[in-house]
């Protein structure tokens, strides 16, 4: 699992936006627009993947500025981390100073657990024995025993 903070997300987005739009962004900054008219001062707003429509950033190019919404952030992170599950969280603390009001983070997880059949596990156990890899042998043996049970 990979955890990205605001800076890490901006780096991935900068790279992916450059590829996608074939133009390098001059600046990527978190938006100060409040997306909820019912928000009160001192309140903290939280948005995640289901809130795909929320504007989270402004992307400045040489001649124009375009909004970046949450679904685009998710899309570009998935382009960077193929076959991964991406969970993005945006928090807006209305009581914080303007430059610290909004934070964005992401968790990227991979389904790297492979289901192996008994014969495949047997072959890998033999390989672990040949390589004298005790830790791998024990891991494979416990998986084999779990299937046999």
């Amino acid at each position: 699992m990979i955890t990205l903070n605001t800076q890490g997300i901006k780096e991935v987005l900068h790279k992916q936006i450059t590829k996608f739009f074939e133009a390098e962004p001059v600046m990527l900054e978190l938006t100060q627009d409040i997306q909820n008219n019912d928000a009160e001062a001192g309140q903290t707003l939280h948005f995640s993947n289901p809130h795909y429509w929320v504007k989270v950033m402004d992307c400045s190019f040489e001649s124009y500025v375009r909004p970046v919404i949450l679904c685009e952030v998710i899309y570009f992170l998935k382009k960077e981390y193929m076959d991964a599950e991406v969970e993005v969280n945006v928090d807006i603390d209305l009581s914080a100073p303007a430059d610290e009001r909004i934070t964005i983070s992401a968790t990227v997880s991979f389904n790297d657990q492979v289901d192996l059949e008994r014969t495949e596990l047997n072959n890998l156990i033999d390989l672990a024995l040949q390589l004298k890899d005790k830790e791998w042998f024990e891991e494979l043996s416990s998986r084999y025993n779990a299937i046999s049970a």
Side-chain angles (χ1 to χ4, degrees):
M1 179 172 20
I2 300 170
T3 303
L4 298 171
N5 61 13
T6 301
Q7 186 59 37
I9 292 171
K10 283 183 177 182
E11 289 171 5
V12 170
L13 263 57
H14 188 275
K15 175 182 168 187
Q16 291 297 328
I17 287 172
T18 301
K19 283 183 190 176
F20 188 81
F21 291 105
E22 297 179 353
E24 188 170 350
V26 175
M27 184 171 51
L28 268 173
E29 69 179 348
L30 294 169
T31 185
Q32 294 299 313
D33 297 345
I34 301 300
Q35 303 294 323
N36 189 339
N37 294 334
D38 300 328
E40 299 174 13
Q43 186 178 4
T44 300
L45 303 174
H46 176 78
F47 301 101
S48 60
N49 288 28
H51 306 101
Y52 59 88
W53 50 265
V54 173
K55 177 184 169 190
V56 292
M57 290 185 185
D58 288 315
C59 180
S60 301
F61 292 99
E62 289 283 331
S63 58
Y64 66 99
V65 177
R66 74 175 300 281
V68 178
I69 59 177
L70 188 55
C71 67
E72 292 174 308
V73 173
I74 295 166
Y75 171 79
F76 288 127
L77 288 172
K78 285 187 173 193
K79 291 284 286 179
E80 182 75 12
Y81 301 102
M82 300 296 258
D83 298 326
E85 292 296 319
V86 176
E87 177 69 31
V88 179
N89 293 293
V90 179
D91 293 300
I92 303 171
D93 183 355
L94 299 176
S95 63
D99 60 336
E100 299 172 8
R101 183 171 287 173
I102 186 169
T103 58
I104 186 169
S105 61
T107 304
V108 181
S109 54
F110 302 91
N111 183 7
D112 55 1
Q113 188 67 12
V114 178
D115 292 329
L116 298 172
E117 295 179 12
R118 290 174 60 129
T119 55
E120 295 169 319
L121 280 170
N122 273 335
N123 292 338
L124 291 174
I125 289 170
D126 289 342
L127 180 59
L129 286 169
Q130 290 173 1
L131 296 173
K132 299 179 181 169
D133 188 332
K134 183 179 178 182
E135 184 179 325
W136 191 32
F137 169 78
E138 289 172 356
E139 177 188 334
L140 292 169
S141 295
S142 67
R143 286 179 67 180
Y144 182 85
N145 291 335
I147 290 175
S148 298

